Amino acid sequence: MSRSLAFVLNVPETPQDPEDQEPSPYDESEVHDSFHQLIQEQSRWVAEEGLELQQRVPGAGALGASGSDRQALLGPEGAPVYSTATLHILASMPSRTIGRSRGAILSQYYSRTVRLRRRAGRPQLRDVGRSARPSLRLYDLELDPAVLEEDEKRGLLVKELQGLTVAQRDHMLRGMPLSLSEKRCLREESRPPRGKRRAWGHRGLLSCCSQLRDSCILASHNLGLALLSGLQALMPWHYALKRIGGQFGSSVLSYFLFLKTLLAFNTLLLLPLLAFIVGVQAAFPPAPSGSVPAFRGLELLTGGGRFTHTVMYYGYYSNATLNQPCASPRDGGQCTPEAGGLPYNMPLAYLFTVGVAFFITCITLVYSMSHSFGESYRVGSTSGVHAITVFCSWDYKVTQKWATRLQHDNIRTQLKELLAEGQLRQRPRRACGRLRQAAVLGLVWLLCLGTTLACALAVYSFSELVLQSRVSAERDGVLLALPLVVCLLNLGAPYLFRVLATLERHDSPVLEVYVAICRNLILKMVILGILCYHWLGRRVGTLKDQCWEDFVGQELYRLMVMDFIFTLLDTLLGELVWRLISEKRSQRKGKPEFDIAGNVLELIYGQTLTWLGVLFSPLLPAMQIIKLLFLFYVKKTSLMANCQAPRRPWKASHMSTVFISLLCFPSFLGAAIFLCYAIWQVKPSSICGPFRTLDTMYEAGKVWVRHLEEAGPRVSWLSWIHRYLVESAFPIYLASALLLAVIYLNIQVVKGQRKVICLLKEQLSNEGEDKIFLINKLQRIYERKERSRVGRTEEAVTPPAVFTDDWDAQ
């Protein structure tokens, strides 16, 4: 008879060199390696003793003798069928025993506690009689151990844990790959009795210090957990974003995440403006040049009137050097500093603060775009993502009803998106259908581009009409005409695009959203380009005796306010009214879907207006922050009450990358070009602002350099920096090259990661094939052994009969 395999754990009897550091017993990977060593030792012992792992049915080897030398037998479904011995070996693999054999874990950590106690100065095993040594040689370490065997191992582990210190015991228990309930039971069993505990309490200051240390550690741990929960609660809209993602999917959630990103960008832009421009000028206000008009309320829409004489606009800021009394003016009335004062050059601070704020925004945008690109285009495993979502997505720490409902909705929405994505990949299309769709796409694109051209001509014609009418600044109501026309076109044209998009019938909802974003972006960028030409190319010449910078700032303020009002009207009329109509008429399709493309382009359009107006209205980012806060709550409320989840769910894996890219290149790049042209080429107003006596805003730096050269050789290095690093075009090219290099390197890093992941996938598949090959080899070895044993048995039994038959035949 064959004997079943029994794993025996050997406890080392000789002490090791104290310089030879043992690997940490608290690492789970050490347990995995120990299992691997145990299995290798047992396999070697079995090979030496010539024992069979499991008795096979007689004749099995004969049946498979013909074809199993080359490959394993196949089952009814094509799966390989291995012998019992091979299956026993497969079940003994570390990956299949680490999470199931609790007795193995207890025995493993028992040996570790023995080594710890030996290092702590306890008598070594070699000094004790062999019969008195705690050994596990008589105990089998099988995959399914008996209850008595496991209890004995557990008792030995508890005894060894009792000999350790409290810190060592707690540390070891935390590192064991066991459940929390088993760890608690082991901790309770390993605590000394009450009498011994009292005896240990009289040891003196050491035990008191250890208890005090444990109490401090526990208190600090609880404090850290409380701080982490508080920081999580401070995250803006944490629960609201989870709820939106769970009910409406990642596509709708991408809009609100983008809104949150814009809020961070505007906060980062506003902080240096408040610190170095607005705050300083508010602390040292200039003398009023005339009577200040009273507040009438219409300024909230037009941005003029009372607001013109505040830090809201460019014209309020002084061209003097602050923080000191002003000496006699010279060079056209410019205030010069007196000796001994603390100079704060307001023109220089205004110019450099705007430039530094834009530079910080540019760096942040490039970093966000590269980071989002790396996150969204990282290649992952897609073969088992459905099973992972079903079986591994649930968080068992969730106990509250609202949290469980939210997590349930989130998992359900993820499964819908994954299934919809899989269905889109399985839809082939014929050649005739592709040609028909291409023709429809070309026609729709021609109509959309024609609509965009018509809107651009309408804006240009109306701006020329307003320019020829020479509207005065006192007629505030008439100043709202151009922003009203622009907002009407921005609101009506996207609806026409959506109607035309229904003719295309895209199979992929992602492609449909991208096409809508592209059309709306072209419309808004063309309109903004015409307005920039109207302000810098036409208005500057007609407002020679006025402060044209204030007029441009007020125009941008009016555009932002009107855009916000039209967004609210679109939300109420386009979503609320549609829901009320659909509820009265049940035969309609139901609630409307959330327009991702239109709402995202509204955010990009509003942010572009903010960047265009920073130079002329430093508090415009604050207005944008207030607008974004209102928009979030209005859109969230309307989404929950008036909208439904997309009928065709889709996974927005690259949406954040697309949004950041559109925000960086068309929006930020266009605003930067507009401001650079205004600083380097356009002559400032001669009656207002910090650059009133200069030919261009850029000459403020040159004037400052001349003052530094006159001050003495100690500060001449500053003038050298300005001459060769600011005035020269080489630093601009260098910075542009560095930014492009950073973007290129990030793209190459992501491509390298994709290649490495593909190689790792191929390596994993090869490893699986290697395992199958080794298993087949092992199967053949055992079959040969079985056939040879059966053959020897038959030879030992059948020779007399064979001899008799031969003798009778003769």
Side-chain angles (χ1 to χ4, degrees):
M1 292 180 63
S2 62
R3 196 153 51 99
S4 61
L5 175 62
F7 287 163
V8 179
L9 178 61
N10 293 326
V11 180
E13 300 180 359
T14 57
Q16 297 180 0
D17 189 1
E19 296 179 358
D20 187 11
Q21 296 293 333
E22 188 76 18
S24 174
Y26 317 116
D27 192 3
E28 186 175 347
S29 61
E30 182 67 21
V31 183
H32 188 284
D33 297 337
S34 301
F35 282 127
H36 182 64
Q37 296 175 3
L38 290 174
I39 293 170
Q40 287 183 346
E41 292 176 1
Q42 296 296 332
S43 302
R44 186 172 61 253
W45 293 341
V46 170
E48 292 176 357
E49 296 176 4
L51 298 178
E52 295 294 337
L53 292 178
Q54 196 75 14
Q55 185 177 2
R56 297 193 55 186
V57 180
L63 292 174
S66 60
S68 60
D69 289 338
R70 295 184 180 180
Q71 84 181 51
L73 297 176
L74 296 178
E77 297 181 358
V81 178
Y82 301 110
S83 63
T84 308
T86 306
L87 294 176
H88 197 89
I89 289 293
L90 292 177
S92 304
M93 295 175 67
S95 60
R96 304 193 180 189
T97 59
I98 186 63
R100 194 155 57 93
S101 180
R102 185 174 56 183
I105 297 173
L106 297 178
S107 300
Q108 177 71 25
Y109 277 91
Y110 165 72
S111 63
R112 297 291 184 251
T113 53
V114 170
R115 294 170 189 172
L116 282 177
R117 291 182 62 186
R118 185 186 302 128
R119 292 176 185 175
R122 295 199 54 182
Q124 299 179 358
L125 289 176
R126 65 179 180 179
D127 299 333
V128 184
R130 184 173 295 273
S131 60
R133 296 178 185 178
S135 178
L136 294 179
R137 296 178 186 274
L138 301 179
Y139 300 96
D140 294 339
L141 183 58
E142 295 181 346
L143 295 173
D144 297 322
V147 178
L148 180 60
E149 178 186 1
E150 186 174 334
D151 291 340
E152 291 176 354
K153 295 174 183 177
R154 186 186 187 91
L156 290 173
L157 178 61
V158 169
K159 289 180 181 179
E160 293 299 330
L161 286 174
Q162 289 176 353
L164 300 177
T165 62
V166 178
Q168 288 179 341
R169 183 169 63 245
D170 293 340
H171 196 183
M172 180 170 288
L173 287 173
R174 281 196 298 269
M176 287 185 180
L178 298 173
S179 62
L180 291 177
S181 60
E182 294 176 354
K183 289 181 181 181
R184 292 192 188 100
C185 293
L186 287 174
R187 182 180 287 109
E188 293 295 332
E189 293 176 3
S190 61
R191 286 180 180 177
R194 182 169 298 180
K196 292 185 178 180
R197 227 180 291 175
R198 291 177 180 176
W200 289 358
H202 293 290
R203 289 183 180 179
L205 185 62
L206 184 61
S207 61
C208 297
C209 293
S210 62
Q211 292 179 3
L212 181 61
R213 183 189 60 185
D214 294 340
S215 301
C216 294
I217 292 174
L218 183 61
S220 62
H221 181 69
N222 294 333
L223 180 61
L225 292 178
L227 290 176
L228 286 177
S229 61
L231 289 176
Q232 188 176 8
L234 290 177
M235 293 178 61
W237 310 318
H238 181 70
Y239 173 70
L241 293 175
K242 278 191 172 183
R243 186 181 176 188
I244 292 171
Q247 294 185 8
F248 297 92
S250 58
S251 57
V252 179
L253 179 63
S254 61
Y255 166 79
F256 291 92
L257 292 177
F258 184 60
L259 190 148
K260 183 179 176 182
T261 304
L262 290 183
L263 188 64
F265 283 151
N266 284 281
T267 304
L268 188 64
L269 179 63
L270 181 63
L271 289 178
L273 297 176
L274 287 177
F276 298 103
I277 298 179
V278 179
V280 175
Q281 189 64 65
F284 298 92
S289 57
S291 61
V292 178
F295 182 77
R296 296 176 298 171
L298 193 60
E299 291 88 345
L300 295 176
L301 292 177
T302 62
R306 176 71 177 179
F307 288 163
T308 309
H309 302 274
T310 60
V311 291
M312 184 75 184
Y313 295 111
Y314 164 91
Y316 180 80
Y317 293 88
S318 173
N319 67 330
T321 302
L322 305 180
N323 290 1
Q324 63 178 351
C326 189
S328 58
R330 66 177 183 178
D331 297 335
Q334 184 178 6
C335 187
T336 57
E338 289 184 351
L342 181 62
Y344 191 85
N345 195 333
M346 195 62 197
L348 194 66
Y350 197 97
L351 182 64
F352 274 87
T353 302
V354 173
V356 169
F358 253 71
F359 182 75
I360 293 174
T361 305
C362 179
I363 296 297
T364 309
L365 270 174
V366 172
Y367 173 78
S368 301
M369 185 175 61
S370 60
H371 180 72
S372 178
F373 183 85
E375 288 291 332
S376 60
Y377 286 91
R378 182 175 295 136
V379 181
S381 177
T382 58
S383 58
V385 67
H386 298 82
I388 292 173
T389 305
V390 172
F391 296 107
C392 304
S393 297
W394 188 260
D395 188 2
Y396 290 93
K397 296 181 292 184
V398 175
T399 57
Q400 299 179 356
K401 290 185 178 181
W402 62 268
T404 54
R405 190 183 305 111
L406 179 62
Q407 192 169 4
H408 176 270
D409 295 338
N410 195 2
I411 296 175
R412 181 184 60 187
T413 306
Q414 289 181 12
L415 288 174
K416 287 182 180 180
E417 292 175 352
L418 291 173
L419 292 175
E421 186 178 2
Q423 291 176 359
L424 288 175
R425 296 175 181 175
Q426 300 174 359
R427 290 183 180 178
R429 176 165 289 190
R430 298 180 181 178
C432 297
R434 293 178 181 176
L435 291 176
R436 188 183 304 109
Q437 187 182 15
V440 173
L441 282 175
L443 179 62
V444 172
W445 269 103
L446 286 177
L447 293 175
C448 292
L449 292 178
T451 304
T452 302
L453 181 61
C455 293
L457 290 176
V459 172
Y460 177 78
S461 301
F462 194 80
S463 63
E464 290 293 329
L465 181 63
V466 171
L467 187 66
Q468 293 176 3
S469 63
R470 295 183 181 181
V471 178
S472 62
E474 287 79 11
R475 300 175 62 184
D476 293 336
V478 183
L479 294 175
L480 295 174
L482 182 60
L484 184 63
V485 171
V486 171
C487 291
L488 283 175
L489 293 176
N490 284 331
L491 180 64
Y495 277 101
L496 180 60
F497 294 162
R498 291 175 64 180
V499 172
L500 294 175
T502 57
L503 303 175
E504 296 174 334
R505 296 179 181 178
H506 292 286
D507 294 335
S508 173
V510 184
L511 180 60
E512 184 177 352
V513 172
Y514 287 163
V515 170
I517 287 176
C518 183
R519 291 167 181 169
N520 293 334
L521 183 67
I522 293 174
L523 172 68
K524 294 182 183 297
M525 291 300 110
V526 168
I527 290 177
L528 283 178
I530 293 175
L531 290 177
C532 291
Y533 170 75
H534 169 70
W535 293 328
L536 295 185
R538 305 286 291 170
R539 274 293 182 180
V540 173
T542 59
L543 297 175
K544 293 182 180 180
D545 54 343
Q546 300 178 15
C547 188
W548 66 267
E549 292 90 351
D550 283 355
F551 179 81
V552 174
Q554 292 171 10
E555 283 279 296
L556 289 166
Y557 176 87
R558 287 190 285 268
L559 283 171
M560 181 179 294
V561 172
M562 294 301 295
D563 179 67
F564 178 65
I565 293 174
F566 273 78
T567 302
L568 295 181
L569 292 177
D570 181 35
T571 303
L572 294 176
L573 298 178
E575 296 176 0
L576 177 60
V577 175
W578 182 267
R579 181 181 67 86
L580 295 176
I581 294 175
S582 62
E583 288 178 352
K584 291 182 179 180
R585 297 182 179 181
S586 58
Q587 66 270 17
R588 299 296 295 273
K589 295 181 179 180
K591 295 181 179 180
E593 295 184 11
F594 188 79
D595 185 14
I596 301 173
N599 286 284
V600 167
L601 263 298
E602 289 296 332
L603 292 180
I604 295 178
Y605 174 75
Q607 187 61 40
T608 308
L609 293 178
T610 303
W611 283 331
L612 290 174
V614 164
L615 182 65
F616 311 107
S617 179
L619 286 181
L620 211 58
M623 301 297 300
Q624 177 70 1
I625 290 174
I626 297 173
K627 174 186 171 183
L628 291 176
L629 290 174
F630 273 102
L631 269 182
F632 180 86
Y633 290 104
V634 169
K635 290 292 183 181
K636 182 180 77 70
T637 305
S638 177
L639 178 69
M640 295 297 178
N642 304 323
C643 297
Q644 65 176 355
R647 297 182 182 89
R648 295 191 298 170
W650 49 281
K651 189 174 182 180
S653 56
H654 308 318
M655 292 298 290
S656 59
T657 305
V658 174
F659 295 161
I660 295 294
S661 302
L662 294 177
L663 186 68
C664 182
F665 288 110
S667 178
F668 181 80
L669 185 62
I673 293 174
F674 174 79
L675 293 183
C676 289
Y677 179 79
I679 291 173
W680 263 274
Q681 297 295 330
V682 184
K683 180 178 175 59
S685 300
S686 58
I687 61 173
C688 66
F691 310 102
R692 65 190 68 177
T693 59
L694 304 175
D695 293 334
T696 59
M697 298 181 185
Y698 179 71
E699 286 190 1
K702 296 181 178 180
V703 173
W704 176 64
V705 169
R706 288 198 297 266
H707 287 308
L708 290 177
E709 292 176 351
E710 295 174 359
R714 291 181 301 175
V715 290
S716 60
W717 58 276
L718 292 175
S719 60
W720 181 88
I721 290 176
H722 185 273
R723 182 180 298 110
Y724 291 100
L725 296 182
V726 179
E727 291 185 0
S728 177
F730 175 74
I732 299 176
Y733 295 137
L734 180 61
S736 303
L738 289 177
L739 288 177
L740 292 176
V742 168
I743 296 173
Y744 176 77
L745 289 177
N746 278 277
I747 294 174
Q748 293 300 318
V749 166
V750 173
K751 287 184 178 180
Q753 290 176 353
R754 298 176 67 179
K755 292 181 180 179
V756 169
I757 291 173
C758 292
L759 292 176
L760 290 176
K761 286 183 179 179
E762 185 178 356
Q763 184 178 354
L764 286 175
S765 63
N766 293 333
E767 291 288 340
E769 294 177 0
D770 292 343
K771 289 181 180 180
I772 295 174
F773 174 77
L774 294 176
I775 291 170
N776 292 332
K777 286 289 186 181
L778 182 63
Q779 176 77 5
R780 297 192 196 104
I781 291 172
Y782 281 114
E783 287 177 353
R784 291 196 193 101
K785 286 185 178 181
E786 185 68 23
R787 289 197 300 271
S788 62
R789 187 179 64 83
V790 173
R792 288 195 301 268
T793 305
E794 291 178 353
E795 289 177 359
V797 175
T798 58
V802 173
F803 179 75
T804 303
D805 294 339
D806 293 341
W807 183 266
D808 293 339
Q810 292 178 358

